[in-house]
Tab-separated table of all heavy atoms in Angstrom:
chain	number	residue	atom	x	y	z
A	1	LEU	N	180.131	182.279	-182.441
A	1	LEU	CA	178.751	181.897	-182.571
A	1	LEU	C	178.730	180.402	-182.738
A	1	LEU	O	179.498	179.739	-183.436
A	1	LEU	CB	178.133	182.571	-183.903
A	1	LEU	CG	177.459	183.929	-183.734
A	1	LEU	CD1	177.392	184.604	-185.066
A	1	LEU	CD2	176.029	183.795	-183.019
A	2	GLU	N	177.576	179.709	-182.317
A	2	GLU	CA	177.401	178.381	-182.499
A	2	GLU	C	175.973	177.953	-182.878
A	2	GLU	O	175.096	178.536	-182.168
A	2	GLU	CB	177.840	177.524	-181.211
A	2	GLU	CG	177.701	176.094	-181.246
A	2	GLU	CD	177.909	175.290	-180.057
A	2	GLU	OE1	177.566	175.749	-178.963
A	2	GLU	OE2	178.578	174.234	-180.071
A	3	ASN	N	175.832	177.238	-183.917
A	3	ASN	CA	174.553	176.698	-184.183
A	3	ASN	C	174.365	175.455	-183.417
A	3	ASN	O	175.141	174.474	-183.800
A	3	ASN	CB	174.254	176.503	-185.620
A	3	ASN	CG	172.999	176.102	-186.090
A	3	ASN	OD1	172.509	174.975	-185.814
A	3	ASN	ND2	172.110	177.014	-186.619
A	4	TYR	N	173.491	175.351	-182.467
A	4	TYR	CA	173.377	174.303	-181.681
A	4	TYR	C	172.109	173.598	-181.805
A	4	TYR	O	170.968	174.205	-181.350
A	4	TYR	CB	173.507	174.525	-180.155
A	4	TYR	CG	173.402	173.442	-179.170
A	4	TYR	CD1	174.343	172.501	-179.020
A	4	TYR	CD2	172.267	173.406	-178.389
A	4	TYR	CE1	174.120	171.413	-178.155
A	4	TYR	CE2	172.141	172.386	-177.440
A	4	TYR	CZ	173.006	171.387	-177.322
A	4	TYR	OH	172.791	170.321	-176.446
A	5	ASN	N	171.939	172.454	-182.516
A	5	ASN	CA	170.682	171.735	-182.700
A	5	ASN	C	169.534	172.740	-183.371
A	5	ASN	O	168.435	172.709	-183.113
A	5	ASN	CB	170.041	171.163	-181.531
A	5	ASN	CG	170.888	170.035	-181.007
A	5	ASN	OD1	171.585	169.400	-181.647
A	5	ASN	ND2	170.855	169.811	-179.642
A	6	GLY	N	170.128	173.529	-184.272
A	6	GLY	CA	169.122	174.373	-185.021
A	6	GLY	C	168.887	175.830	-184.452
A	6	GLY	O	168.309	176.570	-185.086
A	7	LYS	N	169.471	176.021	-183.267
A	7	LYS	CA	169.284	177.318	-182.630
A	7	LYS	C	170.646	177.850	-182.303
A	7	LYS	O	171.650	177.092	-182.328
A	7	LYS	CB	168.513	177.185	-181.410
A	7	LYS	CG	166.990	176.855	-181.617
A	7	LYS	CD	166.131	176.874	-180.288
A	7	LYS	CE	164.836	176.472	-180.757
A	7	LYS	NZ	163.893	176.304	-179.405
A	8	TRP	N	170.706	179.256	-182.007
A	8	TRP	CA	172.008	179.858	-181.947
A	8	TRP	C	172.344	180.231	-180.613
A	8	TRP	O	171.580	180.766	-179.800
A	8	TRP	CB	171.990	180.962	-182.882
A	8	TRP	CG	172.096	180.694	-184.363
A	8	TRP	CD1	170.971	180.473	-185.086
A	8	TRP	CD2	173.156	180.559	-185.230
A	8	TRP	NE1	171.354	180.094	-186.414
A	8	TRP	CE2	172.775	180.173	-186.510
A	8	TRP	CE3	174.547	180.642	-184.943
A	8	TRP	CZ2	173.655	179.862	-187.546
A	8	TRP	CZ3	175.491	180.405	-185.969
A	8	TRP	CH2	174.969	180.062	-187.191
A	9	ILE	N	173.832	180.102	-180.320
A	9	ILE	CA	174.335	180.703	-179.130
A	9	ILE	C	175.492	181.627	-179.512
A	9	ILE	O	176.323	181.205	-180.230
A	9	ILE	CB	174.965	179.586	-178.164
A	9	ILE	CG1	173.896	178.517	-177.794
A	9	ILE	CG2	175.543	180.222	-176.897
A	9	ILE	CD1	174.471	177.299	-177.134
A	10	LEU	N	175.417	182.859	-178.946
A	10	LEU	CA	176.565	183.788	-179.096
A	10	LEU	C	177.220	183.802	-177.757
A	10	LEU	O	176.737	184.351	-176.844
A	10	LEU	CB	176.250	185.111	-179.599
A	10	LEU	CG	177.092	186.273	-179.615
A	10	LEU	CD1	178.327	185.884	-180.460
A	10	LEU	CD2	176.560	187.565	-179.920
A	11	TYR	N	178.422	183.365	-177.801
A	11	TYR	CA	179.279	183.222	-176.546
A	11	TYR	C	179.836	184.451	-176.034
A	11	TYR	O	180.037	184.561	-174.760
A	11	TYR	CB	180.195	182.035	-176.574
A	11	TYR	CG	179.720	180.732	-176.592
A	11	TYR	CD1	179.702	179.939	-177.720
A	11	TYR	CD2	179.064	180.226	-175.556
A	11	TYR	CE1	179.164	178.694	-177.845
A	11	TYR	CE2	178.431	178.835	-175.550
A	11	TYR	CZ	178.555	178.184	-176.666
A	11	TYR	OH	178.003	176.875	-176.732
A	12	GLY	N	180.065	185.396	-176.846
A	12	GLY	CA	180.692	186.701	-176.388
A	12	GLY	C	180.381	187.860	-177.441
A	12	GLY	O	180.946	187.680	-178.556
A	13	THR	N	179.705	188.848	-176.912
A	13	THR	CA	179.489	190.019	-177.594
A	13	THR	C	180.682	191.016	-177.792
A	13	THR	O	180.717	191.797	-178.563
A	13	THR	CB	178.276	190.867	-177.052
A	13	THR	OG1	178.637	191.236	-175.888
A	13	THR	CG2	177.032	189.972	-177.052
A	14	GLY	N	181.625	190.786	-176.851
A	14	GLY	CA	182.619	191.830	-176.612
A	14	GLY	C	181.868	193.069	-175.913
A	14	GLY	O	180.688	192.989	-175.617
A	15	ASN	N	182.640	194.106	-175.715
A	15	ASN	CA	181.901	195.377	-175.125
A	15	ASN	C	181.173	196.002	-176.323
A	15	ASN	O	181.292	195.649	-177.578
A	15	ASN	CB	182.970	196.343	-174.726
A	15	ASN	CG	183.745	195.858	-173.654
A	15	ASN	OD1	183.239	195.164	-172.668
A	15	ASN	ND2	185.150	196.219	-173.618
A	16	LEU	N	180.265	196.836	-175.902
A	16	LEU	CA	179.696	197.788	-176.963
A	16	LEU	C	180.466	199.069	-177.258
A	16	LEU	O	180.698	199.391	-178.259
A	16	LEU	CB	178.221	198.328	-176.408
A	16	LEU	CG	177.518	199.156	-177.357
A	16	LEU	CD1	177.373	198.561	-178.935
A	16	LEU	CD2	176.120	199.589	-176.877
A	17	ILE	N	181.019	199.566	-176.106
A	17	ILE	CA	181.993	200.678	-176.193
A	17	ILE	C	182.800	200.632	-174.924
A	17	ILE	O	182.400	200.266	-173.859
A	17	ILE	CB	181.222	202.056	-176.343
A	17	ILE	CG1	182.257	203.157	-176.717
A	17	ILE	CG2	180.477	202.434	-175.201
A	17	ILE	CD1	182.873	203.063	-178.033
A	18	SER	N	184.105	201.000	-175.116
A	18	SER	CA	184.893	201.074	-173.973
A	18	SER	C	186.124	201.841	-174.245
A	18	SER	O	186.472	202.086	-175.422
A	18	SER	CB	185.471	199.553	-173.522
A	18	SER	OG	186.157	198.933	-174.568
A	19	GLU	N	186.856	202.227	-173.235
A	19	GLU	CA	188.209	202.969	-173.351
A	19	GLU	C	189.122	201.928	-173.747
A	19	GLU	O	189.069	200.762	-173.581
A	19	GLU	CB	188.482	203.493	-171.951
A	19	GLU	CG	189.711	204.311	-171.923
A	19	GLU	CD	189.983	204.819	-170.469
A	19	GLU	OE1	189.392	205.998	-170.214
A	19	GLU	OE2	190.902	204.404	-169.797
A	20	SER	N	190.204	202.352	-174.401
A	20	SER	CA	191.248	201.382	-174.914
A	20	SER	C	192.008	200.708	-173.798
A	20	SER	O	192.368	201.396	-172.894
A	20	SER	CB	192.269	202.146	-175.851
A	20	SER	OG	191.626	202.540	-177.032
A	21	ALA	N	192.249	199.366	-173.948
A	21	ALA	CA	192.949	198.597	-172.948
A	21	ALA	C	194.361	198.500	-173.505
A	21	ALA	O	194.676	198.804	-174.793
A	21	ALA	CB	192.343	197.242	-172.737
A	22	PRO	N	195.342	198.074	-172.777
A	22	PRO	CA	196.726	197.840	-173.143
A	22	PRO	C	196.724	196.915	-174.269
A	22	PRO	O	195.811	195.978	-174.537
A	22	PRO	CB	197.494	197.525	-172.103
A	22	PRO	CG	196.532	197.837	-170.835
A	22	PRO	CD	195.274	197.780	-171.299
A	23	PRO	N	197.833	196.858	-175.171
A	23	PRO	CA	197.956	195.973	-176.293
A	23	PRO	C	197.743	194.580	-176.047
A	23	PRO	O	197.136	193.797	-176.751
A	23	PRO	CB	199.362	196.199	-176.820
A	23	PRO	CG	199.612	197.609	-176.354
A	23	PRO	CD	198.977	197.827	-175.089
A	24	GLN	N	198.193	194.053	-174.989
A	24	GLN	CA	197.875	192.737	-174.529
A	24	GLN	C	196.453	192.282	-174.442
A	24	GLN	O	196.079	191.076	-174.508
A	24	GLN	CB	198.667	192.257	-173.308
A	24	GLN	CG	198.312	192.791	-172.046
A	24	GLN	CD	199.058	194.101	-171.623
A	24	GLN	OE1	199.451	194.817	-172.688
A	24	GLN	NE2	199.171	194.490	-170.437
A	25	ASN	N	195.596	193.318	-174.188
A	25	ASN	CA	194.170	193.072	-174.034
A	25	ASN	C	193.460	193.827	-175.204
A	25	ASN	O	192.412	194.319	-174.953
A	25	ASN	CB	193.651	193.633	-172.656
A	25	ASN	CG	194.196	192.712	-171.489
A	25	ASN	OD1	194.447	191.515	-171.680
A	25	ASN	ND2	194.410	193.418	-170.315
A	26	ARG	N	193.991	193.795	-176.440
A	26	ARG	CA	193.356	194.531	-177.428
A	26	ARG	C	191.988	194.027	-177.862
A	26	ARG	O	191.121	194.827	-178.342
A	26	ARG	CB	194.280	194.479	-178.681
A	26	ARG	CG	194.347	193.101	-179.292
A	26	ARG	CD	195.226	193.024	-180.596
A	26	ARG	NE	195.294	191.742	-181.022
A	26	ARG	CZ	196.010	191.373	-182.184
A	26	ARG	NH1	196.668	192.399	-182.825
A	26	ARG	NH2	196.010	190.206	-182.617
A	27	VAL	N	191.657	192.795	-177.357
A	27	VAL	CA	190.283	192.296	-177.700
A	27	VAL	C	189.264	193.217	-176.888
A	27	VAL	O	188.106	193.226	-177.432
A	27	VAL	CB	190.114	190.915	-177.389
A	27	VAL	CG1	190.943	189.948	-178.179
A	27	VAL	CG2	190.444	190.726	-175.778
């Protein structure tokens, strides 16, 4: 999340739901 000149940007929500990925892609 970034506060940019008093307003906000969220650069990545991630998924809302997903099947598990391999450990190297645990994010």
Side-chain angles (χ1 to χ4, degrees):
L1 270 164
E2 179 184 38
N3 186 290
Y4 176 74
N5 294 335
K7 295 183 179 182
W8 289 86
I9 304 170
L10 171 58
Y11 288 110
T13 60
N15 296 322
L16 175 60
I17 191 69
S18 62
E19 187 178 278
S20 291
Q24 66 269 25
N25 292 329
R26 66 181 179 179
V27 292

